[in-house]
Amino acid sequence: MTFYKFAYCHINLVSISMGLFDLFKKDRGYEIHSLEFCEVGKDGKCDTRPSSKHYTDSRYIMPVVKMTSRIDRTVKIKVRITEPSGKIHTYDFDAPLKPVENMSAQFPWWGSEKRDHFTAVGTWRFDILDEKDSVVISAPLEIAPLEDIWESNGWIYIVSHFEFRNVNGKGEVIDDWNTGNFVEPKYMQMRCRCTCYSDVVRKVTYHVEIKNERTGKIKAFDHTVTLNPRDGSQWLQICGWGSDSGTSYAPGTYTYTLYYKNREMGRGRFEVVKSPKERGWIEPLALVLHFYNTEEERTQWVVYDCCLNLVEGEVIKQLPFKANAYKKIIAGFQWRSLEKGHPLKLTFKFYRDGRLVYTSSQDVVTHEPDSGNVFEQDFEVSGSMWQEGENGIIYPFGAGRYEVELYLKTEELDEHFVMRRTLDVR
């Protein structure tokens, strides 16, 4: 009885083993769960993210898959590509597989450096075949006209910052490009450098939004420009918005955003400041930072460098400085009085890498406008700032971003921000 029982069990085990073997022979040993496509260069470096849509200027298209493998051997995989016309291209390769779960893999790519393989617009089909030419997975690839991507990008690529200028109603320039701050501007224009994608002369309409950051109010308008196809960059200039009265822009910061069909192309910012009278009976001209080591150096800078400029009617210039070479710092403020006899309080706030570290205040009085008296020149320096250790040693200023802000208080106005000077010391 024991012998027959053993033989019966043995026969069943053999039968079960043969069944599993037959099943394994029918199973290719791996599965491909997804199939997308990247455009690559001849070095195989991806130029795009995986997608099911590319364009007629594509060089090489690389299948990107996610797959699971239960085998440890090399298999042959074939890629079959069918054009919209029905024309077929194939290539195969050896894939060394290892047991792995849901792995991302990149297959060899197909195409041409001349960008002349994917010129047919429409739906292409990619089939991944196993060693027996059975389809493992299929996926469509949409090849769209190159104009589609140009259209989606607004026909241009912006290669510079936005620049702004102030003009009157006749288009005459009041404040030219790259003016720092604008006072009672009439019409604000914008320009930027761009590369044109269009291969023909093309009229394109862009949308502009100008937002007052303080109030949140937005002025929006459309402007149509003519783009000219050519190598290199060209200026894109948008017409100005405002009014002849100069009251369209209240003092504050404005964000200028350019759109094409709801797609943001770029943005820039400009400042509108109060008129000289609104700022406290003076017209600010310059705010500079000066590093020095001795009081003699400080006196020489004020008496010779600054006073000579003041006597000649010049604006004080910001000088460059090197790190770890100076132990003290002051700020100089130059302005032009609009009326004599108004008391002012000047407050200098110093920042190091964005952190407030020192404040200094001075009381002055406005002078006769355009006075020729050297002692009535509109210029004032702050108190000196230095960094001192616990042992009393004064340490040199290291590399970093140094900044001074000037605030003004008058009989007519509470303390308000006037100017800022930022200096990167390296």
Side-chain angles (χ1 to χ4, degrees), residues 194-407:
C194 66
T195 299
C196 177
Y197 288 135
S198 179
D199 54 359
V200 297
V201 175
R202 187 180 302 273
K203 290 186 179 295
V204 181
T205 300
Y206 296 100
H207 180 71
V208 173
E209 291 187 359
I210 305 175
K211 179 180 180 181
N212 184 319
E213 293 295 335
R214 182 179 63 83
T215 64
K217 292 183 178 180
I218 296 176
K219 174 59 184 177
F221 63 92
D222 293 335
H223 179 66
T224 300
V225 301
T226 300
L227 300 177
N228 295 302
R230 65 183 183 187
D231 294 334
S233 63
Q234 57 186 281
W235 285 109
L236 172 70
Q237 184 169 317
I238 304 296
C239 70
W241 176 83
S243 63
D244 287 320
S245 65
T247 58
S248 296
Y249 294 92
T253 301
Y254 288 81
T255 299
Y256 188 108
T257 309
L258 184 69
Y259 295 92
Y260 180 74
K261 294 184 177 179
N262 296 321
R263 178 183 184 273
E264 182 178 323
M265 306 290 294
R267 64 172 58 195
R269 302 173 77 189
F270 61 87
E271 297 281 342
V272 175
V273 298
K274 294 179 179 180
S275 66
K277 188 172 183 179
E278 289 175 319
R279 283 181 283 174
W281 302 106
I282 65 171
E283 179 184 359
L285 298 178
L287 179 63
V288 298
L289 287 164
H290 186 75
F291 289 81
Y292 67 100
N293 286 312
T294 66
E295 288 305 306
E296 182 180 359
E297 291 177 354
R298 176 182 182 274
T299 301
Q300 286 181 343
W301 175 67
V302 172
V303 173
Y304 294 101
D305 294 353
C306 298
C307 285
L308 286 176
N309 279 278
L310 295 171
V311 171
E312 295 174 1
E314 300 294 330
V315 176
I316 304 299
K317 303 295 183 182
Q318 176 63 64
L319 302 175
F321 296 94
K322 294 183 179 180
N324 302 311
Y326 304 95
K327 296 181 179 180
K328 295 185 177 182
I329 182 175
I330 57 174
F333 173 52
Q334 179 187 1
W335 71 93
R336 184 174 70 89
S337 293
L338 299 178
E339 187 174 306
K340 183 179 180 180
H342 292 279
L344 312 174
K345 181 180 180 180
L346 307 177
T347 300
F348 301 84
K349 295 183 179 182
F350 291 80
Y351 296 82
R352 168 73 186 276
D353 293 330
R355 183 172 62 89
L356 179 64
V357 293
Y358 176 62
T359 299
S360 170
S361 295
Q362 313 288 341
D363 292 318
V364 299
V365 178
T366 58
H367 298 128
E368 188 72 37
D370 303 319
S371 172
N373 188 336
V374 68
F375 297 104
E376 289 191 353
Q377 297 302 317
D378 296 326
F379 180 76
E380 186 67 34
V381 296
S382 69
S384 300
M385 183 184 80
W386 62 84
Q387 49 186 7
E388 182 176 324
E390 295 180 357
N391 52 7
I393 297 177
I394 299 177
Y395 295 95
F397 290 104
R401 170 161 289 189
Y402 294 84
E403 192 170 60
V404 61
E405 293 180 344
L406 178 74
Y407 291 82

Side-chain angles (χ1 to χ4, degrees), residues 6 51 119 261 309 383:
F6 173 79
S51 172
T119 55
K261 294 184 177 179
N309 279 278

